[in-house]
Amino acid sequence: MKKNNLMTVVGLLIALLITSVVFTTLMINREEDKKEIYLILKTIEPNIGFWDNLTNGAQVAATELDVEVIVTGVLDETDVEGQTRLLRQAIAAKPAAIVIAAGDYEGMVDVCNEAFEAGIPLITIDSDVNIDRNHSLVATNNIEASKRIGFELGTLMKGSGDVAVFAHVEGVYTAIERIEGFLGGIAHNENIHVLEDIIYCHNSRQIAKDNALRILQENPNISALYATNEQTLLGVADAVNQLDMKEKIIVVGFDINEEIAYYIEKDIVDVTLVQDSFSMGYLAIQEAIDQINREEPETIDTDAIMINKENMFLTKNQKLLVPTVK
């Protein structure tokens, strides 16, 4: 009897061991089978709300769609050579797809074509590249959005005054489009003069601030400043705040974070266009899966909402500042 009991116990142990081995093998195989998608950002500089929210959206999509998203990027958004190297490394890793926010519209054409030639679906996000291959783009329609902010600024200026334009990085498609759209939106105001020289700030808050201080001190007729992204808008607002000129200078721009929200509350920033960067990241990974499955490429407009002091605290707009899963 004892011998039979012993054999029963041994049998159970063997069965449990086999089950454990099979389960472990299945889990390992499942992890090995999980598709890898590279997400290459313009910058992984910490504490930039736009890219933090976009990455969060991508990671939520990765969890829901059972893929692995590998996030990488350069520290300095102007480091196009560094981003090119990262893209070539991603191509060499042969992932299922690559999503990239390109740092240069023209300068990254060749390396992006290398991804297609390697048979890897490439999706552009936030900023496009001037490639002639049919590909998916997930982004704000920057031309239309910046036209709206240009029209709005013309109204705030009552059709008269001088404006200086501060852009984040020369050659980046978002900057190109946001300048073009803005100029188109404000052009119908015959008595508004836009300074001819666009001030490029290398995506640096400090450079934007220093240039805004200079422009405001050198040009007494300036009545408005337009900034094309988060860091540039912060720098411009810092300058207006330091000079205590919020009663004289209208500030408009793109993007939001907690500091920009504070500046809106304090009447230093008048209006900003807020992109849904969380959805942008989520939809890009979803679109990457569609491209892996050989769906037709799409252009997906993630839209932008005009935020001011009156509507900032509406629930639907607060979700843009603190994004959650929809």
Side-chain angles (χ1 to χ4, degrees), residues 40-111:
I40 304 175
L41 305 177
K42 284 183 194 172
T43 176
I44 54 171
E45 182 182 345
N47 302 319
I48 296 182
F50 179 85
W51 297 113
D52 289 345
N53 293 340
L54 188 149
T55 301
N56 289 340
Q59 295 293 7
V60 169
T63 300
E64 292 183 3
L65 300 171
D66 196 29
V67 296
E68 182 179 357
V69 172
I70 299 167
V71 181
T72 185
V74 291
L75 280 175
D76 185 345
E77 190 169 324
T78 63
D79 185 8
V80 178
E81 288 186 8
Q83 194 183 45
T84 299
R85 285 194 299 273
L86 289 176
L87 180 50
R88 286 206 169 100
Q89 290 169 10
I91 294 168
K94 299 181 179 179
I98 296 172
V99 178
I100 184 166
D104 194 295
Y105 181 61
E106 298 289 351
M108 299 196 70
V109 171
D110 290 343
V111 68

Side-chain angles (χ1 to χ4, degrees), residues 81 107 111 118 139-140 159 185 224 241 311:
E81 288 186 8
V111 68
T140 301
N241 186 45
N311 69 6

Side-chain angles (χ1 to χ4, degrees), residues 131-300:
I131 44 182
D132 56 11
R133 296 173 186 259
N134 193 16
H135 66 284
S136 292
L137 166 67
V138 182
T140 301
N141 185 329
N142 287 292
I143 294 286
E144 291 304 315
S146 52
K147 274 183 182 177
R148 285 161 51 206
I149 201 73
F151 188 88
E152 177 70 10
L153 180 58
T155 301
L156 291 171
M157 294 174 68
K158 299 179 180 178
S160 179
D162 290 355
V163 186
V165 176
F166 295 77
H168 44 295
V169 179
E170 189 171 9
V172 172
Y173 200 51
T174 48
I176 294 168
E177 288 191 313
R178 290 173 193 177
I179 294 167
E180 179 185 337
F182 173 78
L183 294 176
I186 205 167
H188 68 282
N189 297 280
E190 294 181 359
N191 295 320
I192 289 181
H193 172 243
V194 180
L195 268 62
E196 186 175 345
D197 291 335
I198 306 298
I199 302 153
Y200 291 98
C201 303
H202 308 289
N203 202 45
S204 165
R205 179 175 181 171
Q206 187 61 50
I207 292 173
K209 178 183 177 181
D210 291 343
N211 277 285
L213 289 170
R214 175 179 59 80
I215 289 292
L216 290 170
Q217 290 164 345
E218 291 177 356
N219 297 270
N221 293 326
I222 287 283
S223 55
L225 307 175
Y226 166 58
T228 61
N229 82 337
E230 179 180 317
Q231 293 301 299
T232 310
L233 180 56
L234 281 168
V236 164
D238 289 340
V240 172
N241 186 45
Q242 180 174 314
L243 295 175
D244 194 21
M245 297 182 72
K246 70 179 184 180
E247 300 298 331
K248 180 183 178 182
I249 304 299
I250 300 166
V251 176
V252 300
F254 265 81
D255 297 332
I256 199 165
N257 60 17
E258 290 182 2
E259 287 184 274
I260 293 171
Y262 171 80
Y263 275 142
I264 293 172
E265 273 193 89
K266 298 300 179 184
D267 298 314
I268 294 164
V269 172
D270 294 86
V271 179
T272 187
L273 275 167
V274 180
Q275 304 174 86
D276 191 349
S277 54
F278 182 92
S279 291
M280 197 181 291
Y282 186 98
L283 292 170
I285 301 305
Q286 195 170 60
E287 182 61 18
I289 297 296
D290 288 346
Q291 293 308 296
I292 292 166
N293 295 328
R294 304 192 183 281
E295 300 282 343
E296 281 297 310
E298 286 190 76
T299 296
I300 300 171

